[in-house]
Amino acid sequence: MLFQVRMDVHMPHDLPQEEAADILAREKAYSQALQDSGTWRHIWRIAGQYANVSIFDVKDNAELHAVLTGLPLFKFMTIKVTPLLRHPSSIREDDT
């Protein structure tokens, strides 16, 4: 199943710099591993915001939930999930 996920990050300004750097390093490694596996298909930064729009390809809602709650930045995020399905007018047969 494909999902569009918008993630807005709200890191506390008083978070110690070392802790923030550690969280960001773990977030990058986790997200890149998910991209390598094909689970996290696309990621786009939203200009001027600490936010992104991403496309995830997972088995079901439960898998998406596990992936998102595994994000090191999860506790600092507001997340909006939109399930996607192939449009009948799409010319791309291989993107389901």
Side-chain angles (χ1 to χ4, degrees):
M1 295 180 70
L2 296 178
F3 292 89
Q4 174 190 301
V5 179
R6 178 179 171 136
M7 294 175 254
D8 292 87
V9 181
H10 313 283
M11 287 185 73
H13 297 291
D14 59 349
L15 190 66
Q17 189 173 18
E18 308 81 42
E19 186 178 345
D22 176 64
I23 292 168
L24 293 172
R26 289 186 293 116
E27 180 82 11
K28 183 175 184 176
Y30 182 73
S31 69
Q32 288 180 341
L34 289 168
Q35 290 174 65
D36 284 338
S37 74
T39 299
W40 197 324
R41 278 211 197 169
H42 302 282
I43 182 170
W44 295 277
R45 167 129 321 154
I46 299 173
Q49 299 177 37
Y50 195 175
N52 74 76
V53 173
S54 296
I55 303 296
F56 287 85
D57 188 356
V58 292
K59 182 179 78 174
D60 55 24
N61 295 337
E63 183 180 358
L64 180 65
H65 181 77
V67 166
L68 294 176
T69 57
L71 291 165
L73 282 171
F74 177 76
K75 65 183 176 181
F76 305 119
M77 291 181 170
T78 301
I79 297 174
K80 180 180 177 193
V81 175
T82 305
L84 302 172
L85 40 121
R86 189 174 177 281
H87 194 283
S89 298
S90 175
I91 63 170
R92 308 214 187 283
E93 296 293 332
D94 62 338
D95 202 14
T96 56

